[in-house]
Amino acid sequence: MDALVALCKRRGFLFQSSEIYGGLNGFWDYGPLGVELKRNIREAWWYDNVTSHNELVVPPGAPSAFQMVGIDSTIIMHPQVWKCSGHYDLFHDYMVDCRETKKRYRYDQVQGRWVEYNGQRIFVATEAVGEEAVADVEHKALRFFNLRTKEADRLVWHSPLVSLTTVEDFSQVLAPDAKTLGTLTPPREFNLMFKTYVGALSGEENVAFLRPETAQGIFVNFKNVLDSTRVKIPFGIAQMGKSFRNEITPRYFTFRSREFEQMEIEFFCRPETSRAWYEYWRQRRFNWYISLGLASERLRLRDHSPDELSHYSCGTADVEYAFPFLAPGDFGELEGIAHRGDFDLRSHMEGKLIRKGNELVLELGPDGQPKYRGSGKDLTYFDEETRERFIPHVIEPSAGADRAALAFLCEAYAEDMVPDEKGVPTKRVVLRLHPRLAPIKVAVFPLVKKDGMPEIAQRIYADLKPHFNCFYDEKGAVGRRYRRQDEIGTPYCITVDSQTLQDDTVTVRDRDTLRQWRIKVDDCVEVIRGLIRGTYTVPG
């Protein structure tokens, strides 16, 4: 992971936000290559789910044909949106503060072990994970008890790594960065929404929030989409955009950030077909990541247990990836697919809903009136064929563009040995990104800067440039130029050499297989397009 992070900085994929001022935790800037990678991920998602969708045919595994449209809603919406959706009251994590170090930790992300020495039993806490956590806890225990490393066998361990949430008495807890016991405060709620103000005054009547998700912008526009288009249920509304969550402890590079980009679909269907649509979207979204290069053995589709489900959820599954910064056997969420029932549309019609038994009912205030009133607008759907009116059920595939970018980078990073110009095996760093996602699709090289080769290479570059993001390089040995492109994930290179001057052909090199073959100069655009789309067969 350290090597990947260093590469991302060195080659312009990712930078710490405001780095020249020491950085701002939880915020990241995408450099010249990173912005292309993330844009390619977004475009692949939009193309596969919206642009290329054919509403006239039934996709494999789908209960029926369906329509797809898109919207782009604002980052700041009416505050009542978040009250009715439940975010205002329920969107929080629990945090604990350390009185000694003044540091703040997310309660469920701190773990540790019970250890005893000379009759004293304490809980040593850490923010690390896996083997690093075990080593960190032992180091802190030795330091607390004033023991040397060679005296580690004098410590008596009473537990494996367990969550801080299992500890009832904080007086015996050694906080992750503390030197004394009992410095952690009791856990308390921390609302994750960023507060701001709309207008010239900053009073409570002008409070607004940066959206913590893009989904609510779709729900409040449900009626607008129905009235302005000819969509009929079942149909989906897609949206991509920035969201903001004031994470207590951002961590793991870009995995947990305070500003991130979401790619979400709200799919509206009849209640009696919602379970089948949930199963369809659950599998379809899992397959999408495999199609773009994530290894199936490092990817899993995990159903939430009943105690994990949100109060509105009829079923939720997460697409998870085994990120290298996690402990062996652990997975991190890439995307959630939720069966939300009719919760969202009802909430924005009636007001904030809470669960009582198996029912969602309107939450009332002390005066017996709705705690947060809905819009009062009719968000039901009228089926002209069956003459029925009902509240649609919703299936929500919700993905993170930033987490997807991180997963694809982790999967693509590799080191291998390949022969150099003299046939000597040398170490190569390579990003094996799927061609659809690679920031640069093809690089063009003249073998040498003479004999008219640069002019031919520049002409090929000019032909390719309107169709693909390309790179031209004529500096250094061609082997080193190949290595530079391998390191940033460029899948194909075209080289103009002496044979080009004779028969008007060039060499195409494949990043992953290292195969080379020759094609006509005039065929470069179509060959590269076919390679990216997977429709071109390499000769031989």
Side-chain angles (χ1 to χ4, degrees):
M1 196 65 205
D2 290 340
L4 175 61
V5 172
L7 183 146
C8 286
K9 171 70 183 297
R10 184 176 71 253
R11 298 310 303 268
F13 281 93
L14 282 157
F15 308 126
Q16 177 75 44
S17 175
S18 313
E19 184 178 10
I20 63 171
Y21 290 104
L24 187 60
N25 196 18
F27 296 91
W28 297 89
D29 297 332
Y30 284 80
L33 291 179
V35 73
E36 292 291 335
L37 171 64
K38 194 163 99 164
R39 183 176 64 85
N40 290 342
I41 292 170
R42 295 198 310 263
E43 289 185 353
W45 183 88
W46 193 267
Y47 179 83
D48 293 344
N49 288 296
V50 184
T51 307
S52 68
H53 176 70
N54 186 347
E55 72 278 8
L56 303 179
V57 300
V58 180
S64 68
F66 59 91
Q67 294 174 278
M68 288 292 299
V69 295
I71 68 164
D72 185 6
S73 64
T74 60
I75 287 173
I76 296 177
M77 295 189 289
H78 195 289
Q80 201 69 11
V81 170
W82 308 113
K83 292 179 180 180
C84 290
S85 70
H87 288 81
Y88 187 79
D89 288 342
L90 302 175
F91 196 62
H92 62 259
D93 284 331
Y94 284 92
M95 64 178 181
V96 290
D97 290 323
C98 180
R99 301 183 186 91
E100 178 184 318
T101 65
K102 310 304 180 186
K103 291 187 176 182
R104 176 167 291 171
Y105 308 97
R106 187 166 140 179
Y107 182 39
D108 61 346
Q109 289 181 349
V110 177
Q111 56 181 345
R113 297 181 69 186
W114 285 101
V115 62
E116 183 177 348
Y117 171 73
N118 202 23
Q120 185 178 11
R121 186 171 180 266
I122 67 171
F123 184 85
V124 184
T126 180
E127 283 193 287
V129 296
E131 294 180 2
E132 182 184 343
V134 174
D136 187 49
V137 166
E138 180 175 299
H139 172 73
K140 289 174 178 176
L142 290 170
R143 187 174 58 184
F144 178 82
F145 289 118
N146 199 25
L147 297 174
R148 291 172 292 180
T149 303
K150 64 181 182 180
E151 298 176 294
D153 58 353
R154 301 176 66 179
L155 297 173
V156 179
W157 298 98
H158 289 283
S159 76
L161 283 171
V162 294
S163 173
L164 178 64
T165 59
T166 65
V167 179
E168 295 182 1
D169 183 7
F170 278 15
S171 67
Q172 299 306 308
V173 172
L174 182 65
D177 300 286
K179 296 179 180 179
T180 56
L181 295 176
T183 61
L184 289 180
T185 64
R188 64 184 188 278
E189 294 181 2
F190 178 81
N191 194 288
L192 300 177
M193 288 197 294
F194 279 102
K195 181 186 290 188
T196 187
Y197 299 92
V198 175
L201 302 178
S202 57
E204 281 302 308
E205 66 275 13
N206 297 105
V207 167
F209 302 93
L210 303 186
R211 66 183 180 194
E213 64 176 26
T214 62
Q216 299 305 318
I218 297 177
F219 295 129
V220 299
N221 278 294
F222 172 74
K223 191 67 172 175
N224 289 332
V225 172
L226 278 182
D227 293 344
S228 62
T229 67
R230 299 176 64 189
V231 293
K232 294 182 178 180
I233 279 181
F235 71 91
I237 303 176
Q239 179 173 206
M240 297 186 296
K242 289 289 184 77
S243 295
F244 305 83
R245 297 181 184 179
N246 195 12
E247 294 284 352
I248 299 169
T249 52
R251 62 202 315 205
Y252 302 144
F253 202 18
T254 60
F255 180 78
R256 192 174 296 283
S257 303
R258 289 176 167 134
E259 177 182 334
F260 54 96
E261 195 152 4
Q262 288 185 290
M263 309 179 294
E264 292 193 302
I265 295 170
E266 304 304 330
F267 188 82
F268 301 92
C269 57
R270 297 181 66 90
E272 62 269 23
T273 63
S274 59
R275 188 70 197 182
W277 282 113
Y278 169 66
E279 295 295 338
Y280 165 73
W281 281 107
R282 182 178 173 277
Q283 194 60 47
R284 174 172 170 172
R285 294 304 306 145
F286 179 76
N287 293 340
W288 186 77
Y289 292 96
I290 295 176
S291 73
L292 289 176
L294 292 191
S296 56
E297 65 269 18
R298 285 187 286 277
L299 201 64
R300 75 178 183 183
L301 186 60
R302 184 184 67 85
D303 290 303
H304 283 206
S305 60
D307 60 338
E308 285 183 275
L309 293 176
S310 302
H311 64 284
Y312 55 77
S313 176
C314 304
T316 299
D318 286 344
V319 179
E320 298 179 331
Y321 178 72
F323 288 95
F325 48 75
L326 299 176
D330 287 349
F331 289 75
E333 180 188 348
L334 276 181
E335 177 168 346
I337 302 93
H339 185 326
R340 301 175 70 103
D342 62 3
F343 170 80
D344 299 283
L345 294 179
R346 276 190 60 196
S347 294
H348 291 300
M349 286 172 59
E350 305 170 12
K352 184 190 173 190
L353 302 174
I354 58 173
R355 180 168 294 280
K356 284 191 176 180
N358 294 324
E359 299 292 328
L360 287 169
V361 300
L362 197 63
E363 183 175 8
L364 304 179
D367 59 356
Q369 298 300 310
K371 183 176 181 181
Y372 301 122
R373 290 187 181 276
S375 67
K377 304 295 183 182
D378 183 6
L379 300 182
T380 60
Y381 177 83
F382 181 70
D383 191 320
E384 294 181 354
E385 294 181 4
T386 64
R387 313 304 296 175
E388 293 178 272
R389 184 174 293 278
F390 57 90
I391 301 175
H393 276 204
V394 175
I395 312 302
E396 179 192 73
S398 176
D402 302 270
R403 287 192 180 183
L406 181 58
F408 287 123
L409 282 169
C410 290
E411 184 70 27
Y413 183 88
E415 298 177 3
D416 59 14
M417 302 295 291
V418 298
D420 62 12
E421 295 93 333
K422 299 178 181 179
V424 179
T426 56
K427 178 182 173 182
R428 175 179 75 146
V429 174
V430 57
L431 284 181
R432 294 195 172 97
L433 291 165
H434 191 284
R436 290 182 69 189
L437 305 182
I440 296 172
K441 307 301 185 189
V442 56
V444 182
F445 308 145
L447 185 63
V448 293
K449 292 193 291 182
K450 61 181 181 179
D451 300 331
M453 294 184 199
E455 289 77 11
I456 298 174
Q458 289 168 18
R459 189 172 75 246
I460 294 171
Y461 177 76
D463 290 341
L464 290 165
K465 193 64 174 173
H467 306 281
F468 317 104
N469 193 20
C470 310
F471 187 82
Y472 178 84
D473 190 2
E474 59 181 29
K475 298 178 181 178
V478 71
R480 287 196 291 273
R481 283 180 269 170
Y482 283 147
R483 296 294 183 273
R484 288 196 289 265
Q485 295 305 310
D486 292 342
E487 192 176 46
I488 63 174
T490 305
Y492 309 109
C493 293
I494 292 175
T495 304
V496 175
D497 53 24
S498 57
Q499 188 175 335
T500 308
L501 308 177
Q502 301 171 19
D503 60 11
D504 208 31
T505 64
V506 292
T507 298
V508 180
R509 173 188 180 268
D510 183 279
R511 174 198 67 206
D512 297 333
T513 66
L514 302 181
R515 287 191 61 183
Q516 298 188 23
W517 69 98
R518 300 194 74 84
I519 64 172
K520 287 288 186 181
V521 168
D522 292 343
D523 294 339
C524 284
V525 171
E526 288 307 312
V527 168
I528 297 301
R529 180 179 286 116
L531 286 167
I532 293 171
R533 292 178 176 176
T535 59
Y536 175 84
T537 302
V538 177

